[in-house]
């Protein structure tokens, strides 16, 4: 066995692509409990303790549930119209997806978590892997400090799972959530080994990170039905029957770090801005309004991420569930003169491309803009003579600065500059205020 590295003022360097794996390091998985619901409750305490669901685009289906809703047996994906009649009897509250609020609170949580870690990998909107160092104190105590800091600064509840590998950290987080007596923090190594083994024996293999139902069924055919059975399986046999990814899961369950750290995700190769309409869009002129708006929003995303695009594809389709209307699926691609994030050029290109392809009388239910050939802004210098007048004047940056400061409808081209949104805009009739991103919707405190 190799000797432990000497204690220094700084953690030892990890192998490229891997987090530190010395005896004084652990991996933590921190996630926000019922994230969308918790964001709603943070600004509306009356929602605490009652069944709450958050709905998908156009208030269609359940995409997030509080624990109270889960106990009622309601699954994610359940259409709201099937629940509406029973919701009042249950005391259930439904909220439209408030993406602006959720995104902002996610950014705040992730920035806060990074202050408490040697390294960080943001895994999703509500989850982050962190590197903990034993020289900062006991892992359970570090987890409690993290929970208290997030609750104090954002009002959101989190659970913390600590272990030797990312797979075990996810598993520890599951234990923390399901065992309230742990206080939201589980250090797997601090638990008696027989207790961990008993839990792994009870949890189905599909309860593991990365083991979906289809893969779980294949494992079941081999007699591997629980987490413990997968941990004890022959890793070489698992690799031969499945792939190296599943073999890594087996090794990680044994405490051997195999899944690399991804602190910075690779640059996107494409970007899609797509929405379903609350009411169908009929006619070329109305579709042109849609595309002009979507192209500007796609351009804003590009500018925010300091990227430019070479190719734009616009598309629109009618509902595939309706047989009583004119059916149409249209798509067209246009190459930009130069890689760009200019909203004026992109809006013009989107409008001109879609206008000639819309079928008269077809009630389009969905449309979008896809950008490909993405590259970092400024990576390929362009002669001034080939830049548009709008790029010379930085119109895109100007619009981005104004909308960031005053809201998405403060300024824009065409429909994007109107405060009154079109009737086809995504329906969010149950949406709470955007408390942290819109000056007109800030929370109001009433003194008694």
């Amino acid at each position: 066995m190799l000797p432990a590295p000497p204690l220094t003022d700084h953690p030892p360097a990890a192998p490229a692509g891997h987090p530190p794996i010395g005896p004084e390091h652990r991996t933590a998985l921190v996630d926000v409990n019922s994230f969308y619901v918790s964001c709603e409750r943070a600004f509306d305490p009356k929602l605490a303790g009652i069944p709450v669901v958050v709905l998908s685009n156009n208030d269609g289906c359940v995409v997030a549930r509080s624990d109270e809703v889960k106990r009622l047996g309601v699954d994610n994906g359940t259409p709201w119209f099937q629940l509406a009649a029973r919701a009042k009897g249950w005391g259930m509250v439904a909220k439209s997806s408030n993406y602006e609020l959720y995104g902002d609170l996610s950014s705040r949580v992730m920035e806060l978590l990074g202050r408490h870690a040697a390294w960080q990998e943001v895994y999703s909107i509500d989850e982050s892997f962190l590197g903990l160092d034993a020289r900062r104190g006991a892992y359970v105590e570090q987890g409690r400090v993290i929970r208290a800091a997030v609750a104090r600064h954002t009002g959101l509840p989190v659970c913390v799972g600590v272990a030797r590998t990312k797979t075990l950290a996810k598993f520890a987080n599951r234990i923390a959530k399901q065992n309230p007596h742990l206080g939201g923090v589980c250090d797997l190594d601090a638990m008696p080994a027989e207790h961990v083994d008993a839990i792994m024996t009870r949890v189905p293999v599909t309860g593991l990170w990365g083991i979906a139902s289809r893969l779980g069924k294949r494992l079941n055919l081999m007699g591997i039905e629980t987490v413990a059975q997968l941990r004890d399986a022959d890793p070489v046999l698992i690799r031969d029957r499945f792939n190296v990814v599943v073999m890594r899961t087996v090794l990680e369950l044994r405490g051997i770090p195999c899944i690399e750290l991804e602190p910075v995700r690779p640059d996107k190769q494409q970007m899609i801005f797509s929405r379903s309409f609350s009411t169908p869009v009929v006619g070329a002129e109305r579709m042109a309004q849609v595309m002009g708006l979507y192209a500007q929003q796609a351009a804003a995303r590009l500018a925010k991420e300091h990227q430019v695009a070479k190719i734009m594809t616009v598309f629109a389709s009618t509902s595939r569930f309706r047989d009583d209307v004119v059916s149409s699926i249209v798509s067209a691609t246009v190459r930009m003169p130069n890689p760009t994030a200019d909203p004026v050029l992109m809006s013009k290109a989107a409008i001109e491309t879609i206008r000639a392809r819309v079928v008269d009388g077809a009630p389009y239910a969905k449309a979008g803009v896809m950008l490909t050939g993405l590259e970092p802004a400024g990576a390929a210098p362009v002669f001034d003579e080939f830049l548009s007048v709008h790029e010379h004047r930085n119109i895109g940056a100007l619009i981005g600065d104004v909308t960031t400061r005053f809201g998405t409808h403060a300024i824009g081209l065409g429909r994007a500059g109107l405060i009154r949104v079109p009737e086809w805009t995504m329906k969010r009739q149950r949406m709470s205020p955007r408390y942290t991103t819109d000056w007109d919707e800030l929370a109001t405190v009433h003194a008694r």
Side-chain angles (χ1 to χ4, degrees):
M1 179 179 292
L2 294 174
L7 292 177
T8 62
D9 291 337
H10 302 284
H18 285 275
I21 54 177
E24 72 276 20
H25 298 107
R26 290 293 183 273
T27 296
L29 188 279
V30 184
D31 80 334
V32 183
N33 304 338
S34 303
F35 178 59
Y36 287 3
V37 172
S38 294
C39 290
E40 297 290 347
R41 285 174 167 172
F43 290 90
D44 189 355
K46 296 192 297 296
L47 298 177
I50 66 173
V52 179
V53 296
V54 177
L55 305 177
S56 63
N57 293 350
N58 294 315
D59 295 342
C61 302
V62 174
V63 294
R65 306 162 293 162
S66 66
D67 289 339
E68 296 81 7
V69 174
K70 295 174 184 177
R71 288 194 289 268
L72 290 171
V74 176
D75 295 326
N76 269 342
T78 303
W80 172 243
F81 75 85
Q82 294 181 2
L83 298 174
R86 291 176 288 172
K88 187 174 182 180
W90 286 333
M92 181 185 294
V93 173
K95 291 288 186 178
S96 300
S97 294
N98 191 338
Y99 300 117
E100 297 86 348
L101 177 65
Y102 307 153
D104 183 64
L105 289 182
S106 172
S107 298
R108 295 173 188 234
V109 169
M110 298 309 162
E111 192 276 333
L112 185 60
L113 293 179
R115 303 180 191 177
H116 295 268
W119 53 263
Q120 179 180 22
E121 177 190 335
V122 177
Y123 181 67
S124 68
I125 191 173
D126 63 341
E127 293 179 283
S128 186
F129 287 106
L130 305 178
L132 302 185
D133 190 324
R135 289 165 289 189
R136 298 184 181 182
Y139 297 123
V140 170
E141 185 56 34
Q142 290 187 56
R144 289 172 180 163
V145 169
I146 289 171
R147 290 191 80 235
V150 175
R152 181 171 64 252
H153 292 291
T154 68
L156 301 177
V158 301
C159 281
V160 183
V162 183
R164 294 176 181 270
T165 68
K166 294 170 80 172
T167 300
L168 286 175
K170 288 277 286 186
F171 189 72
N173 185 278
R174 174 192 176 110
I175 296 173
K177 282 185 176 181
Q178 297 182 354
N179 295 272
H181 68 277
L182 294 176
V185 181
C186 174
D187 176 4
L188 216 56
D189 285 346
M191 297 179 65
E194 60 271 20
H195 289 184
V196 176
D197 191 68
I199 295 172
M200 287 187 170
T201 302
R202 293 196 303 269
V203 177
V205 70
T206 50
L208 272 179
W209 178 42
I211 307 295
S213 59
R214 187 173 180 180
L215 176 57
K217 290 177 181 177
R218 293 178 61 195
L219 288 167
N220 293 164
L221 292 175
M222 294 179 59
I224 299 174
E225 298 184 350
T226 68
V227 173
Q229 289 173 329
L230 182 60
R231 176 200 61 193
D232 299 335
D234 181 349
V236 176
L237 176 63
I238 292 296
R239 181 198 62 192
D240 293 342
R241 292 283 186 90
F242 299 93
N243 53 49
V244 70
V245 175
V246 185
M247 183 188 75
R248 288 174 183 158
T249 298
V250 175
L251 296 176
E252 289 239 331
L253 287 172
R254 298 180 182 183
I256 303 171
C258 299
I259 300 177
E260 295 184 351
L261 173 67
E262 296 182 12
V264 179
R265 301 208 176 226
D267 289 337
K268 295 179 181 178
Q269 299 303 306
Q270 67 177 23
M271 180 181 294
I272 299 177
F273 192 95
S274 175
R275 293 288 186 272
S276 296
F277 306 132
S278 58
T279 59
V281 170
V282 180
E285 291 308 311
R286 297 189 72 195
M287 185 57 71
Q289 296 174 359
V290 173
M291 285 302 168
L293 179 58
Y294 285 7
Q296 287 178 71
Q297 292 170 326
R301 286 188 185 178
L302 278 179
K304 184 177 181 180
E305 298 180 13
H306 307 289
Q307 290 188 298
V308 290
K310 299 177 182 177
I311 300 171
M312 171 190 291
T313 300
V314 295
F315 56 90
S317 62
T318 54
S319 174
R320 59 189 177 92
F321 301 106
R322 294 187 62 181
D323 299 325
D324 59 332
V325 299
V326 177
S327 178
S328 174
I329 299 177
V330 296
S331 176
T333 298
V334 58
R335 179 177 290 273
M336 309 304 292
N338 299 295
T340 184
D342 178 27
V344 180
L345 286 178
M346 296 177 72
S347 294
K348 286 184 175 180
I351 290 171
E352 292 173 3
T353 303
I354 199 68
R355 182 176 274 146
R357 291 168 173 83
V358 170
V359 175
D360 288 339
Y364 291 94
K366 184 177 182 178
V369 172
M370 180 173 68
L371 305 176
T372 52
L374 271 55
E375 62 184 48
V382 179
F383 290 114
D384 287 348
E385 288 75 9
F386 295 101
L387 291 174
S388 71
V389 64
H390 317 104
E391 290 175 294
H392 272 299
R393 296 177 179 176
N394 291 319
I395 298 298
L398 172 64
I399 292 176
D401 290 344
V402 174
T403 54
T404 298
R405 183 174 181 182
F406 298 104
T408 55
H409 298 292
I411 192 174
L413 308 171
R415 279 283 185 179
L418 300 180
I419 294 178
R420 183 179 178 182
V421 298
E423 65 275 11
W424 44 261
T425 303
M426 182 174 63
K427 180 174 63 177
R428 293 193 285 179
Q429 295 179 339
R430 300 171 177 269
M431 193 175 82
S432 55
R434 294 163 292 187
Y435 296 103
T436 63
T437 61
D438 192 305
W439 285 110
D440 295 328
E441 298 178 19
L442 294 177
T444 302
V445 178
H446 299 280
R448 292 187 176 180

